[in-house]
Amino acid sequence: MKILTTSSKGIISVVVPTRNSSKHLEDCLKSLREQARKADEIVVVFDSDKDANVSIARKLGTHIVLDSNGTIGSAYSAGAGAAKGDIVAFVDDDCIAPRDWLGKIEKEFMEDVDVVSGEDVLPGKSSFFQRAVYQIDKSRIMKNAVYGKRAKERLRGANIAYRKTVFEKENFNPNLTGLQEPEFNHRLFKKGFRMKFDPKLYVYHKRRNSLGEIFMQIFRNGKAKVELLKLHKDMVSFIDVFPFLYIFFLLFMTYSAIRFGNLV
């Protein structure tokens, strides 16, 4: 991959879409404030000014954006539009960023790439159930960076950054109620934007803590995937054709991890 420069002085914006008074947001924002390479701007997107976390975000000196359209796709689009940085990073509101996260992102964009993503690993203080569920993600962790199509298949919405110039041509679909990052990245890849996935660029990401939470996530993603496939029939996957097999596999992996104690 072509190296553009040996130094970087660009502005970095971090966007955190959030809703429903997330109990994790304050910890996420504090981790962003404690970065070794300081964020030039932290943008927090709320769907209502009545969210209990608005005052917390304001106290921590973030740029607050209100987006009342009600979809997660619209929240991401609004955050991207409000960001002033040359690099726009997105992180989920239940993630904790290591102190070197932004420094790593800055170095990643010394390469000739438009999109960079990394892993979202399990925090050390996690429940037994969360550690069991994590075994599925753990089995897919890569050792080395990949580019192009292989990178596109691994991009993680909880930990991803774009050149601002990307948003001059494309943006997140504001009509989507879920899976807005895969849909956006799919369009970018088809239009020739350069992608990289680097497992050394990671954040700590909390997992669902019960079967009920997992099934609700699967249900929401399933509804969103129906809308996604109406837009991009070429995004159909094995999971879409045989969803019950995926659910069985998920339960089997979780049970095996609990039964045999092979946990992180």
Side-chain angles (χ1 to χ4, degrees):
M1 178 62 64
K2 179 181 177 182
I3 304 297
L4 293 180
T5 179
T6 56
S7 64
S8 178
K9 297 181 181 179
I11 298 171
I12 300 181
S13 299
V14 182
V15 179
V16 188
T18 188
R19 65 193 310 177
N20 299 329
S21 303
S22 168
K23 61 183 179 181
H24 305 296
L25 179 65
E26 184 172 8
D27 289 338
C28 174
L29 296 181
K30 285 181 177 179
S31 76
L32 296 178
R33 280 295 179 206
E34 294 168 0
Q35 292 292 298
R37 194 287 186 201
K38 301 300 182 184
D40 298 290
E41 173 187 48
I42 300 174
V43 178
V44 185
V45 185
F46 292 94
D47 62 351
S48 169
D49 59 1
K50 299 186 185 304
D51 192 300
N53 284 323
V54 170
S55 60
I56 293 173
R58 185 173 288 116
K59 180 180 67 175
L60 290 172
T62 69
H63 175 196
I64 295 173
V65 173
L66 296 178
D67 178 74
S68 59
N69 288 337
T71 66
I72 189 65
S74 181
Y76 271 72
S77 178
K84 297 180 175 63
D86 305 302
I87 298 170
V88 184
F90 287 81
V91 65
D92 279 8
D93 64 3
D94 57 350
C95 288
I96 300 293
R99 289 193 74 248
D100 61 354
W101 182 61
L102 284 180
K104 287 181 177 178
I105 286 177
E106 189 171 50
K107 290 180 180 178
E108 295 284 6
F109 280 96
M110 293 177 188
E111 294 187 24
D112 190 13
V113 292
D114 302 300
V115 185
V116 174
S117 179
E119 294 287 357
D120 53 336
V121 302
L122 191 71
K125 294 181 179 180
S126 297
S127 70
F128 188 87
F129 184 87
Q130 288 171 319
R131 285 182 287 140
V133 171
Y134 180 62
Q135 300 311 299
I136 298 172
D137 287 336
K138 182 185 176 185
S139 68
R140 300 175 64 236
I141 289 179
M142 309 175 78
K143 293 183 179 180
N144 301 308
V146 293
Y147 298 84
K149 185 176 181 179
R150 289 189 66 195
K152 181 245 184 185
E153 294 170 351
R154 290 290 294 149
L155 298 179
R156 311 289 283 182
N159 173 23
I160 195 166
Y162 304 85
R163 290 194 190 276
K164 180 65 172 180
T165 51
V166 167
F167 297 104
E168 295 172 3
K169 299 179 180 178
E170 297 289 337
N171 205 335
F172 295 96
N173 187 329
N175 299 315
L176 291 180
T177 58
L179 302 179
Q180 65 285 342
E181 306 105 322
E183 193 276 336
F184 181 48
N185 296 330
H186 183 72
R187 279 188 281 123
L188 294 181
F189 179 75
K190 290 175 70 174
K191 294 191 175 183
F193 287 90
R194 298 151 298 193
M195 299 180 171
K196 178 182 180 182
F197 179 87
D198 188 349
K200 296 181 179 63
L201 175 68
Y202 64 89
V203 296
Y204 297 104
H205 192 191
K206 297 176 177 64
R207 262 51 181 188
R208 301 295 186 263
N209 203 24
S210 70
L211 284 176
E213 290 180 358
I214 289 175
F215 279 115
M216 279 302 299
Q217 182 183 23
I218 293 173
F219 176 73
R220 288 193 298 268
N221 285 347
K223 289 180 63 178
K225 194 61 181 282
V226 171
E227 296 303 313
L228 193 62
L229 293 178
K230 290 179 181 177
L231 299 173
H232 306 284
K233 292 182 173 58
D234 55 342
M235 288 190 71
V236 68
S237 66
F238 174 84
I239 294 173
D240 303 316
V241 179
F242 301 105
F244 292 106
L245 288 180
Y246 172 72
I247 294 172
F248 174 79
F249 173 73
L250 178 68
L251 293 174
F252 174 77
M253 290 291 290
T254 303
Y255 170 79
S256 297
I258 295 172
R259 174 68 176 79
F260 299 106
N262 181 28
L263 303 179
V264 292

